[in-house]
């Protein structure tokens, strides 16, 4: 016998079946062991995140706890369509549509979730490779001396 955990990436408003969600998926969501709502672009700064946190995420986590399911929210560093639009010939778009604020935007999200009374099972960091959407996160060090030695 193998133990398997089913994690489902779901719309932000999975619990209420409105907004980016569709009605009729309740049985699917209820069958998941862990719910991971996609949050990229749903808020644009710390204040709008706090509003979502207080009005959506806390209720999500509470319901999942009652169901015996895990919670795995998504955090993202910022956003911009600028690279994608320019590189595909679709014109220019706003650079830093959702500013990173030197990492403070991402950190605010991560700390808020980690500090929840019923902390999430894990926090999913989006996205490490999407340069075209301005959400890429690259490994960096503070000082050259911290750089790992190559092969």
């Amino acid at each position: 016998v193998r133990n398997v955990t089913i994690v489902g990436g779901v719309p932000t408003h999975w619990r209420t079946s409105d907004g980016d969600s569709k009605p009729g998926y309740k049985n699917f969501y209820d069958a998941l062991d862990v719910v991971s709502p996609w949050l990229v672009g749903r808020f644009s700064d710390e204040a709008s995140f706090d509003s979502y946190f207080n009005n959506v995420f806390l209720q999500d986590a509470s319901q999942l706890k009652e169901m015996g399911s895990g919670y795995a929210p998504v955090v993202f560093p910022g956003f911009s369509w600028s690279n994608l639009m320019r590189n595909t010939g679709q014109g220019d778009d706003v650079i830093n549509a959702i500013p990173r604020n030197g990492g403070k935007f991402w950190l605010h999200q991560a700390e808020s979730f980690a500090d929840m009374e019923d902390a999430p099972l894990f926090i999913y960091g989006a996205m490490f490779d999407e340069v075209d959407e301005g959400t890429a996160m690259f490994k960096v060090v503070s000082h050259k001396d911290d750089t790992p030695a190559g092969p």
Side-chain angles (χ1 to χ4, degrees), residues 9 12 16 24 35 38 49 60 63 74 80 83 95-97 110 114 136 140 146:
T12 303
T16 56
V35 169
W38 187 250
F49 168 83
D60 287 353
Q63 179 171 323
V74 173
S80 175
N83 290 333
I95 295 175
N96 285 329
V140 297
D146 296 331

Side-chain angles (χ1 to χ4, degrees), residues 66-79:
E66 288 176 17
M67 294 168 50
S69 299
Y71 184 47
V74 173
V75 297
F76 66 103
F79 180 83

Side-chain angles (χ1 to χ4, degrees), residues 34-53:
V34 180
V35 169
S36 183
W38 187 250
L39 307 179
V40 175
R42 301 304 184 263
F43 35 87
S44 58
D45 56 26
E46 289 86 348
S48 58
F49 168 83
D50 290 344
S51 178
Y52 263 88
F53 186 84

Side-chain angles (χ1 to χ4, degrees), residues 15 50-65 71 112-113 115-118:
R15 180 175 46 83
D50 290 344
S51 178
Y52 263 88
F53 186 84
N54 291 318
N55 296 304
V56 177
F57 307 147
L58 290 176
Q59 290 83 354
D60 287 353
S62 177
Q63 179 171 323
L64 289 167
K65 181 180 179 182
Y71 184 47
S112 296
F113 285 125
D115 290 342
M116 290 174 72
E117 184 175 326
D118 296 309

Side-chain angles (χ1 to χ4, degrees), residues 88-117:
T88 58
Q90 298 180 51
D92 292 329
D93 199 52
V94 177
I95 295 175
N96 285 329
I98 301 176
R100 293 171 175 246
N101 293 332
K104 291 178 185 148
F105 180 64
W106 184 93
L107 185 63
H108 183 75
Q109 296 167 67
E111 286 181 338
S112 296
F113 285 125
D115 290 342
M116 290 174 72
E117 184 175 326

